[in-house]
Amino acid sequence: MKTMNKGSVDAITLSTVWHTFQSTCREMRHVLDRTAQNYLMAQLHDVAAGIWDAQARTLAVPAGPTSQLLGQKFSVRYILDKFGDNLYPGDVILNNDPYHGYCNHLPDWGFFRPIFYKDELLFFTLARGHQMDTGGSYPGGYFPDAYDIHAEGLCIPPIKVFEKGVERKDVFELVWNNVRWPEAVRVDNYALIAATKICENRLLALVKRYGKDTVLDCVEEMLSRTERAIRAEIARVPDGTYCGESASDDDGSEHDVPVWVRCEVTVRGDEMTVDFSKSDKQRKGFVNNTLPSTYSRAIAGSFLFFDSSLADFHNEGSMNPVKVVAPEGSVVNAKYPATVGGSPVSVGTQILEATVMALSQAMPHKAIASWGRHRGHYIFGTDPRTGERYVQTTFDSDGGAGAVWGFDGYEGACTFPTLGSVQRGNVEEVEIRFPWRILRYHMVKDLSGAGRWRGGSGMHWEALNVGSDGGMATGSSDGDQTQPPAAAGGMPGPLCKAYLQRDGERIVVKPHRMYQIRNGDLLVKTSGGGSGVGDPRERDPEKVLNDVIDEFISLDVAEKIYRVAIDPITMEINWEKTRTLRGEPEKESVK
């Protein structure tokens, strides 16, 4: 096939190559859905897949938790620096270390595969997933008040687990011998490795079909187009500096002392700087983020304000016009050996929220409110049905998404940092896998942030422990004393609360703690929903009426917050009283 010169790639070839990169990443995620066994990966989709080139430039990251993808060029650079010319076809490299490998937190294991064509390194691919266990003091990886990062689990710097196509069984034996469910982790590791092999097959087939030069020309055009598009988007934003801030409840060590992330976004022409220099210093507790994680959230928050037609195609070109500043030694760029186990939720959420809050000031016509705070937990014990140990987590009790300018927040979406790529499970799956019986699980009236566009509803969730005594880490939770920021005059999502009911006693359950659980305990969570955008008094009264009818809000909230009077008998709007409540002038009658 004739090789095309750089800059002369025809539109059909470019489109085919570009979409092949995107669809390959989605196929990798599909492989993980079908082959992984642990609940977080197989059911909740806490996985990521992407493609980078031999220069560590990001080429394709179409879906996945933000912290697992957008900053992984740092990991690819680390691998290139460490191994140099000692990379070969058939190599697979395992890495989960935030400090010696630039990963997220220890439970997220990434398998990197260098992809060669005729002995020339062209690409890297990554498949990453949250493991069932990674060692450490307790199962799960979200336990507060660890002494240092080594107490949180295995720290695995980039190490070859396959070399030239041959499995290094001694390395795997060492790794699996230091986790609590070695067989389960083994299955998930092989699933991730298989996903990287799928990517290698697809990209080599693409190169063989079109030729190396043509594919690489397409890559350069992909990067050039997204950079031009993002620069054009930034150029439309008024020059200036815009501020945002958000807090987590605490760091898990010093209880009930909020941890603050502060962000200044400065726009100059077609470039933007996201600066976190005024954030808190790194903490003793486990909420610290490393630089790649902070970079990922800041970039993801920026992308939300750009043309949505670009959403599936962001790459290194998209990132070039955006600079992220995070001083070393701060909670957004912690130094070794600071603990980071809770960082995907706290302070990772706050980094995204502060970025979005600042950009909502810069672009109020695209304002975005924050989502309901994550209400996860890690429960561990013994399942009496099998006699085997288990560890269980859930996203089920999360409140809904925040509103955006022009649209209410999605109902049922969960976890702002993953932008909905991680999902809820279902009752049947939970009860089959774990010794917990779900008693109540529903949305709650008046538990969303009000606004011209309101946030998604909050959630009520109750479950009964029919298993053994055990433990519960609430490290993956937040929002009992800090609220997700609203935007453009909206109201924040309500606070969350949780408790254990035991022998007539109610034990308050707070984020970032460890609790003992007993057989027969009832765990109850009520989670605030997403925040609102715009003044609630400007919400269309007909939408307020529909919200009352659908039981998203009460008659009392409709009148006191939205200033819409509704007759409780006829369920019709009292327009005269509504105009008075809203301070609107009387309309002249038509003669």
Side-chain angles (χ1 to χ4, degrees):
M1 180 175 182
K2 182 179 178 181
T3 300
M4 299 181 183
N5 295 322
K6 184 175 180 180
S8 63
V9 180
D10 70 271
I12 293 177
T13 301
L14 174 63
S15 179
T16 301
V17 170
W18 206 335
H19 282 87
T20 297
F21 277 87
Q22 308 300 317
S23 63
T24 297
C25 292
R26 293 191 177 90
E27 185 179 4
M28 292 168 71
R29 286 175 59 87
H30 180 67
V31 168
L32 296 174
D33 287 345
R34 297 295 297 273
T35 57
Q37 61 77 44
N38 99 60
Y39 184 62
L40 271 168
M41 288 176 59
Q43 297 296 318
L44 307 187
H45 312 297
D46 195 353
V47 297
I51 301 170
W52 291 258
D53 70 5
Q55 302 172 56
R57 297 182 301 178
T58 305
L59 303 185
V61 283
T66 57
S67 61
Q68 293 191 28
L69 274 179
L70 296 178
Q72 288 312 291
K73 62 182 178 181
F74 293 90
S75 293
V76 177
R77 289 175 190 165
Y78 193 99
I79 290 169
L80 285 166
D81 289 342
K82 176 177 180 177
F83 291 97
D85 295 333
N86 190 29
L87 289 171
Y88 304 97
D91 286 354
V92 178
I93 297 160
L94 169 60
N95 180 24
N96 81 328
D97 194 320
Y99 296 108
H100 308 100
Y102 296 119
C103 292
N104 181 31
H105 70 154
L106 297 181
D108 292 334
W109 292 15
F111 289 85
F112 295 80
R113 181 186 292 270
I115 298 174
F116 290 79
Y117 177 69
K118 295 182 178 180
D119 295 325
E120 181 183 356
L121 177 62
L122 296 185
F123 306 110
F124 279 89
T125 185
L126 160 69
R128 184 185 296 285
H130 191 124
Q131 300 302 292
M132 189 171 175
D133 186 63
T134 189
S137 302
Y138 298 96
Y142 274 95
F143 31 88
D145 209 20
Y147 178 75
D148 59 19
I149 192 171
H150 297 285
E152 295 188 307
L154 276 171
C155 298
I156 308 170
I159 187 171
K160 291 185 181 183
V161 292
F162 276 78
E163 189 164 19
K164 298 180 180 179
V166 178
E167 181 177 348
R168 298 189 63 187
K169 296 182 183 296
D170 55 342
V171 175
F172 270 133
E173 181 181 7
L174 175 64
V175 170
W176 296 333
N177 191 57
N178 283 279
V179 297
R180 294 175 176 85
W181 290 274
E183 179 60 22
V185 173
R186 182 187 70 85
V187 171
D188 290 336
N189 287 177
Y190 284 156
L192 291 160
I193 292 168
T196 67
K197 183 62 177 176
I198 288 289
C199 182
E200 180 181 53
N201 292 343
R202 297 294 181 265
L203 294 189
L204 289 180
L206 185 72
V207 172
K208 290 174 183 176
R209 179 181 179 186
Y210 289 102
K212 182 194 73 172
D213 291 341
T214 296
V215 171
L216 295 184
D217 284 351
C218 288
V219 165
E220 296 302 326
E221 186 64 20
M222 289 157 51
L223 301 179
S224 176
R225 288 194 181 197
T226 54
E227 179 165 351
R228 291 198 303 271
I230 295 304
R231 287 190 180 278
E233 290 288 306
I234 295 173
R236 296 188 183 99
V237 182
D239 283 2
T241 298
Y242 308 91
C243 301
E245 63 179 9
S246 181
S248 174
D249 284 6
D250 57 45
D251 71 347
S253 180
E254 189 177 7
H255 292 163
D256 301 322
V257 177
V259 182
W260 284 92
V261 174
R262 298 180 180 89
C263 172
E264 291 183 347
V265 175
T266 300
V267 178
R268 292 287 184 270
D270 63 357
E271 295 187 344
M272 184 167 74
T273 300
V274 186
D275 189 347
F276 296 97
S277 296
K278 295 182 179 178
S279 300
D280 286 357
K281 299 297 184 183
Q282 73 180 57
R283 296 299 186 93
K284 180 181 184 297
F286 68 160
V287 302
N288 301 291
N289 279 242
T290 55
L291 177 60
S293 180
T294 296
Y295 178 88
S296 296
R297 268 48 178 271
I299 293 294
S302 303
F303 285 174
L304 294 178
F305 290 83
F306 302 146
D307 187 344
S308 60
S309 66
L310 301 171
D312 288 339
F313 303 102
H314 286 301
N315 54 36
E316 194 70 23
S318 309
M319 304 176 193
N320 284 339
V322 183
K323 179 183 178 182
V324 178
V325 177
E328 188 177 35
S330 66
V331 74
V332 295
N333 185 5
K335 295 190 292 186
Y336 171 86
T339 53
V340 300
S343 63
V345 174
S346 314
V347 160
T349 299
Q350 284 69 25
I351 292 168
L352 183 60
E353 288 179 344
T355 303
V356 166
M357 186 178 179
L359 286 169
S360 291
Q361 296 174 18
M363 291 173 272
H365 61 291
K366 294 186 176 181
I368 298 172
S370 299
W371 299 22
R373 291 286 172 81
H374 181 42
R375 301 301 298 172
H377 60 241
Y378 277 78
I379 294 175
F380 47 92
T382 301
D383 189 335
R385 298 170 297 182
T386 63
E388 296 181 353
R389 295 187 299 171
Y390 75 91
V391 60
Q392 181 251 351
T393 188
T394 178
F395 288 68
D396 297 346
S397 59
D398 283 13
V404 300
W405 188 269
F407 300 92
D408 293 341
Y410 282 116
E411 305 294 347
C414 58
T415 71
F416 198 19
T418 73
L419 300 179
S421 65
V422 173
Q423 301 169 16
R424 302 173 191 271
N426 62 70
V427 171
E428 293 78 13
E429 187 75 31
V430 170
E431 294 184 339
I432 289 170
R433 285 176 176 260
F434 310 111
W436 285 80
R437 184 178 305 139
I438 310 302
L439 303 184
R440 293 179 64 186
Y441 181 18
H442 58 82
M443 297 175 187
V444 181
K445 186 186 297 184
D446 294 341
L447 210 61
S448 61
R452 181 177 177 183
W453 297 280
R454 64 167 178 81
S457 293
M459 193 70 65
H460 184 87
W461 182 90
E462 296 183 11
L464 179 69
N465 180 19
V466 294
S468 72
D469 294 356
M472 177 174 66
T474 61
S476 57
S477 296
D478 212 344
D480 278 37
Q481 66 179 50
T482 59
Q483 295 172 271
M491 298 179 67
L495 293 171
C496 307
K497 60 183 179 180
Y499 62 88
L500 285 167
Q501 189 76 33
R502 178 186 299 161
D503 300 328
E505 178 187 4
R506 179 175 290 191
I507 303 168
V508 175
V509 172
K510 302 187 74 173
H512 309 158
R513 312 288 201 276
M514 288 290 299
Y515 294 90
Q516 181 188 32
I517 59 166
R518 296 178 184 171
N519 176 268
D521 280 353
L522 179 68
L523 177 58
V524 180
K525 297 183 181 184
T526 303
S527 305
S531 300
V533 168
D535 189 335
R537 295 170 296 181
E538 296 178 0
R539 184 167 178 81
D540 183 342
E542 294 289 352
K543 289 185 176 181
V544 176
L545 174 61
N546 289 336
D547 285 344
V548 170
I549 293 172
D550 294 336
E551 299 188 353
F552 287 122
I553 65 173
S554 63
L555 286 165
D556 190 53
V557 165
E559 183 165 330
K560 291 183 177 179
I561 295 179
Y562 289 97
R563 307 294 178 90
V564 175
I566 299 172
D567 188 296
I569 305 301
T570 64
M571 295 303 289
E572 294 179 345
I573 298 172
N574 182 329
W575 288 102
E576 183 177 354
K577 186 175 181 180
T578 295
R579 283 191 288 270
T580 300
L581 288 171
R582 291 191 165 190
E584 298 174 2
E586 291 289 337
K587 293 182 179 180
E588 293 184 6
S589 59
V590 178
K591 295 182 180 180

